Amino acid sequence: MARDAGRPLRADAQRNRYKILAAAVRVFTEEGLDAHFERIAREAGVGTGTLYRNVPTREALIEAAYMFAALSGIALTSARPEQREQAERLLDLTLDGLRPTPPQAPDI
């Protein structure tokens, strides 16, 4: 069931979303952007159904995790080095995913 966009999330749903995004940042920085949704859900302490209700696609999860990291203030200004490193790694992975792959010359 889709949530009414004008209605705020319940407190438990907000907590789950926070846990999912924090876990996604950690898992993506450790395992890369191809990390399994099941691994992220386990790290967040939620079921995969809860994860998919919050972010139905990998692209949506990557975008939300990046925005979460940036808006949480853990991007380059954090006093905690491990959080800054996570944010920098996630940014690098995100940018790498956006760069076009150069064409390869055919083998002759």
Side-chain angles (χ1 to χ4, degrees), residues 62-108:
I62 291 168
E63 182 179 334
Y66 176 73
M67 293 302 296
F68 176 80
L71 294 174
S72 294
I74 65 171
L76 307 175
T77 60
S78 177
R80 295 176 61 188
E82 69 277 2
Q83 289 180 326
R84 183 176 54 250
E85 290 168 11
Q86 286 179 345
E88 289 171 347
R89 174 95 172 109
L90 183 59
L91 177 60
D92 289 344
L93 289 169
T94 303
L95 293 176
D96 285 345
L98 296 175
R99 289 188 184 111
T101 305
Q104 295 196 349
D107 290 333
I108 300 178

Side-chain angles (χ1 to χ4, degrees), residues 1 4 17 23-24 28 32 38 44 47-48 52 54 58 64-67 69-70 79-80 95 97 103 105 107:
M1 170 185 273
D4 178 10
R17 185 159 178 82
F28 283 149
E38 292 81 10
T48 53
Y52 280 105
N54 279 274
R58 177 169 304 282
Y66 176 73
M67 293 302 296
R80 295 176 61 188
L95 293 176
D107 290 333

Side-chain angles (χ1 to χ4, degrees), residues 21-36 39-44 86 90 93:
L21 294 177
V25 170
R26 286 191 303 274
V27 173
F28 283 149
T29 58
E30 293 169 6
E31 299 179 14
L33 297 178
D34 292 328
H36 292 280
R39 167 79 170 91
I40 294 167
R42 193 172 348 122
E43 177 79 15
Q86 286 179 345
L90 183 59
L93 289 169

Side-chain angles (χ1 to χ4, degrees), residues 16-17 20 46-55:
N16 283 343
R17 185 159 178 82
I20 289 167
V46 301
T48 53
T50 299
L51 190 148
Y52 280 105
R53 274 192 301 281
N54 279 274
V55 281

